[in-house]
Amino acid sequence: AILCSANPSQAETAASIMTVGATVTSNCTIKTGSLGFGTLDPSSGSDGESSGAVAVTCTNGTSWTASLASGSGSTASAADRRMINGEYELSYALYRDPARRELWGDGAEAGTYVISGTGSGLPQPASVYGRIAAGQEGLPAGSYSDALGVTISY
């Protein structure tokens, strides 16, 4: 007897490694809301106070600072911002601390501070505290407003 064996042909193979990469860049965004003082009676002798918030979202590990412009009043500064109603200006200030001692500004103007942090990839809320000082009795009734630019540096 003759024995035959089948020798199946063997497939040849070759292998290589494909590399995959990406670069994650630093990025930040900010969401702002409004800060409303509500109804104010300037003859009451009491300060008007309110608070609001901003939320900064930065890439994980990205250091950031948020600065606040002075506003639109003709004589506005970080220490003395102005809400406008026609030709009239209502003085107010914004702070980064609840005790209202640290003025939120650009950090360059004397006596101002910025808000800062390090990104986690998630929104990081920061409170903003406002005060309208008493003693502005000469202003007429009406709606006063201001618009402030918030800038993130990272």
Side-chain angles (χ1 to χ4, degrees):
I2 298 177
L3 294 175
C4 292
S5 71
N7 186 5
S9 63
Q10 292 196 332
E12 297 296 323
T13 62
S16 182
I17 296 175
M18 177 174 55
T19 60
V20 178
T23 301
V24 175
T25 61
S26 295
N27 190 32
C28 293
T29 60
I30 187 164
K31 290 188 178 183
T32 60
S34 59
L35 187 150
F37 286 97
T39 303
L40 179 69
D41 178 5
S43 65
S44 71
S46 299
D47 293 342
E49 293 187 344
S50 186
S51 63
V54 299
V56 177
T57 304
C58 290
T59 309
N60 190 17
T62 301
S63 297
W64 58 269
T65 60
S67 60
L68 185 61
S70 295
S72 56
S74 62
T75 60
S77 68
D80 188 19
R81 291 187 165 89
R82 303 296 179 110
M83 287 184 270
I84 307 297
N85 176 7
E87 65 185 73
Y88 300 99
E89 298 183 0
L90 177 61
S91 178
Y92 74 103
L94 296 177
Y95 304 86
R96 69 177 194 170
D97 66 311
R100 293 172 172 81
R101 292 190 182 112
E102 298 176 352
L103 290 166
W104 185 21
D106 61 8
E109 184 180 332
T112 67
Y113 299 86
V114 296
I115 295 173
S116 61
T118 301
S120 66
L122 300 172
Q124 296 175 294
S127 294
V128 181
Y129 304 91
R131 175 180 289 145
I132 297 174
Q136 301 184 63
E137 293 85 4
L139 295 173
S143 294
Y144 291 76
S145 64
D146 195 6
L148 305 171
V150 182
T151 302
I152 306 171
S153 301
Y154 58 96

